[in-house]
Amino acid sequence: MGKYRENISDHSLWMTATPTPLAKTLPFFVSEAGHFMAGLDYRVQRETHDSFLLLYTVGGQGSVQTGDDVLLLPRGHSVIIDCRISHEYHAVSAQWEFLWIHFNGSGVAPLLDVVYPENAVHAVAMKN
């Protein structure tokens, strides 16, 4: 079970999809995506969620924690979170604008293991 304070503006976008049984057999599929304009008290804290999450900061700044790792996400930075482990992310500026995609599939974990072998189960930050 998670704890959520999803203080987002009315201009935010949140789309959900119900992957078909066929889609779930593919190496990659998307289950949710959005573009959030979040207030300072925006916070998501979960023990587990059966997906991976890509966050990209458009403006402001957010923070991600998995285990003992804490990453700041200023403008132009992104992160991939393995949501199957305990994680938290929240705004650290008055407004955090970010794009996000929850995705899954049989190809995701093996790809991350190859691309980021030292951080395979933790958040991985990337800068444009």
Side-chain angles (χ1 to χ4, degrees):
M1 189 79 184
K3 297 178 185 175
Y4 303 89
R5 269 194 309 238
E6 294 183 332
N7 175 21
I8 58 175
S9 81
D10 291 340
H11 300 290
S12 294
L13 176 65
W14 188 343
M15 299 175 291
T16 60
T18 303
T20 65
L22 176 61
K24 290 181 178 184
T25 67
L26 298 173
F28 306 96
F29 63 88
V30 173
S31 58
E32 294 182 81
H35 181 182
F36 280 5
M37 278 67 81
L40 185 56
D41 60 346
Y42 176 89
R43 177 177 304 276
V44 172
Q45 181 180 9
R46 292 187 280 242
E47 291 302 314
T48 187
H49 189 69
D50 188 27
S51 71
F52 295 82
L53 175 61
L54 171 65
L55 298 172
Y56 173 78
T57 299
V58 176
Q61 184 167 277
S63 177
V64 173
Q65 180 172 355
T66 59
D68 294 332
D69 297 325
V70 177
L71 298 168
L72 290 178
L73 293 176
R75 182 175 173 250
H77 284 70
S78 60
V79 67
I80 297 174
I81 303 170
D82 182 345
C83 296
R84 301 171 305 171
I85 62 172
S86 178
H87 61 283
E88 176 182 332
Y89 52 98
H90 62 273
V92 294
S93 60
Q95 183 174 356
W96 180 31
E97 181 181 357
F98 62 99
L99 302 169
W100 59 274
I101 300 173
H102 271 288
F103 61 102
N104 213 333
S106 60
V108 179
L111 176 64
L112 292 179
D113 288 345
V114 169
V115 176
Y116 305 106
E118 67 283 351
N119 292 343
V121 296
H122 296 293
V124 178
M126 298 161 282
K127 183 178 184 323
N128 280 355

